[in-house]
Amino acid sequence: MTGQAGPASHWSGSHRWAAALLGALLPALLMLSATGADATGTRAADAKPVVTLSKQQAGKGGEITAKGSGWRPDTLLMLLVCGQSTPDRGVIGGTNSCANAEGRAVTTGTKGDFSKKMPVAEPPAPCPCVVHVATVTGEQATADAVFAVAGHPVAALPKETEGGRLAVLATTRLEGDSGILTWFGAPPSRQLVFTVGNLGSAPVKDPVFQVGTAHGVFAPQWEERQWRGTIESGRKAQIKLPVELTAGAHGDYQVSLKYGSKVLAEQPWGVGRPWGVTLFWILLCVVVPAAVFRIGMTIVDKVRPRTSRTPVRAGRHRHPQLADVTARLPKLRRAPAPAESPTAPPTTTAALPWFTPDSAPSENRPTTKGHS
């Protein structure tokens, strides 16, 4: 009995040791996996879009290849050669400083990379120049690569204004919605809401911003908007500026915000089609022909001969053609009745069929009824 119980107790003890060891190692394995996942997520979050060039310098009419990585997958990008720009300060003059006509578009792959050939063009602003890559739709992302256009003028960048210096601290957004009039072609309007902070050493009073709207790849049209208020050094403020498009505008628009010569933010805006205008033209194409047809029929009814409009009533008027036909037809003659002789006795009424002359009742002839 004792010899049989020894192995069973030894086997159960081994199981207990294995369970205890697994219980001690399991929390450590979970912590390692979580740490690895956090590190991977941190690396993915810290990844920024970049762009590299096959050549750092080329002349007008040449060609370079731009390659990028770290972008969102399946995203449409715009590649431009811009002047008065550096990777540190960005495109100072906005897209007005870029060669927009020679720009190229490319869509990133599933891994967020791309490769695109683009021609070398002289931007409207002097160098230093960059190849500026920016997203067209969705969340805004940009990247710049230093590039020198051979033979293009070079000028120093404008000095940054001392004192107050504004910077956007939060993501911009558009507030508001379209009314029923916008559905019929009224100008769409929104409010551009953003938060700025004064990073300078002096307060900024009543700053004047520039709000630009661009459709597709065209340069934005800038309009000045002044905000009333003072932003002290080291403080921040939420600002709302009105944005309005032209009547009947629809499609994908880009709203840009600029302070001084620096573009602070860009916000996409998708504007729906004014279907009320389309409905109006459809109704117009249906109602106008119907009205013209009715007017034409009324005019025709007024100018046609009166005899053709007089209804023929049976029993009161005879058609002239029917009268002519009747006059030409031969007249039917009735057969003459036989002449009666003056001496002939007057005709008598025919006897009824159920009486004979002999059996007809008579006043002088008694009947046998009632006689024996």
Side-chain angles (χ1 to χ4, degrees):
M1 294 293 291
T2 306
Q4 294 177 357
S9 60
H10 176 71
W11 180 255
S12 61
S14 300
H15 272 280
R16 286 195 296 271
W17 275 104
L21 182 61
L22 182 60
L25 292 178
L26 184 59
L29 293 175
L30 292 176
M31 291 180 64
L32 289 175
S33 61
T35 304
D38 292 342
T40 304
T42 303
R43 287 195 298 269
D46 294 341
K48 294 183 178 180
V50 296
V51 57
T52 57
L53 306 176
S54 60
K55 298 178 183 180
Q56 299 298 323
Q57 181 177 353
K60 179 182 179 181
E63 191 178 62
I64 59 175
T65 301
K67 296 182 179 181
S69 60
W71 300 84
R72 295 196 312 272
D74 301 326
T75 303
L76 181 62
L77 306 178
M78 179 59 62
L79 289 73
L80 300 170
V81 178
C82 302
Q84 246 185 357
S85 308
T86 60
D88 296 335
R89 296 185 59 180
V91 182
I92 297 177
T95 52
N96 290 331
S97 302
C98 304
N100 297 303
E102 288 78 14
R104 293 294 182 268
V106 65
T107 303
T108 59
T110 55
K111 296 182 179 180
D113 54 349
F114 70 90
S115 178
K116 182 69 176 179
K117 292 183 178 181
M118 58 180 303
V120 178
E122 292 185 347
C127 285
C129 301
V130 297
V131 172
H132 180 69
V133 183
T135 55
V136 177
T137 58
E139 185 180 354
Q140 182 67 21
T142 59
D144 299 323
V146 178
F147 181 72
V149 181
H152 192 63
V154 179
L157 296 176
K159 295 182 180 181
E160 296 186 13
T161 57
E162 298 180 356
R165 185 164 57 92
L166 300 181
V168 175
L169 303 180
T171 305
T172 60
R173 66 182 186 274
L174 293 171
E175 289 185 352
D177 52 2
S178 300
I180 187 65
L181 295 180
T182 306
W183 201 68
F184 286 95
S189 60
R190 293 289 189 276
Q191 277 193 332
L192 181 64
V193 182
F194 57 95
T195 302
V196 296
N198 187 358
L199 306 181
S201 58
V204 177
K205 183 179 180 180
D206 298 338
V208 178
F209 298 92
Q210 288 185 336
V211 178
T213 55
H215 184 53
V217 297
F218 296 98
Q221 303 293 327
W222 299 99
E223 295 182 1
E224 290 187 353
R225 297 285 188 270
Q226 187 174 17
W227 182 75
R228 299 291 182 179
T230 302
I231 306 175
E232 300 292 340
S233 177
R235 299 300 182 110
K236 63 181 180 179
Q238 187 183 61
I239 298 176
K240 297 181 179 182
L241 300 177
V243 183
E244 185 173 300
L245 302 179
T246 58
H250 62 277
D252 294 329
Y253 283 80
Q254 189 85 2
V255 180
S256 304
L257 176 68
K258 185 166 65 173
Y259 179 69
S261 58
K262 184 178 180 180
V263 177
L264 300 181
E266 293 180 341
Q267 176 69 28
W269 183 9
V271 184
R273 182 180 295 273
W275 292 108
V277 178
T278 305
L279 179 62
F280 169 77
W281 284 110
I282 292 175
L283 293 177
L284 188 66
C285 293
V286 173
V287 172
V288 170
V292 172
F293 176 77
R294 292 292 300 272
I295 294 173
M297 293 301 297
T298 303
I299 294 174
V300 170
D301 187 66
K302 293 291 184 182
V303 300
R304 65 181 179 177
R306 187 175 183 84
T307 55
S308 60
R309 293 186 292 109
T310 304
V312 178
R313 297 183 180 179
R316 297 187 61 182
H317 301 282
R318 298 182 61 185
H319 200 278
Q321 296 180 356
L322 295 179
D324 297 341
V325 173
T326 306
R328 290 194 296 267
L329 290 176
K331 296 182 178 180
L332 299 178
R333 296 181 179 180
R334 296 182 179 179
E340 296 181 357
S341 175
T343 58
T347 58
T348 58
T349 304
L352 295 177
W354 55 85
F355 292 109
T356 60
D358 299 334
S359 62
S362 176
E363 296 179 358
N364 300 323
R365 185 179 179 180
T367 59
T368 56
K369 186 176 179 180
H371 298 274
S372 54

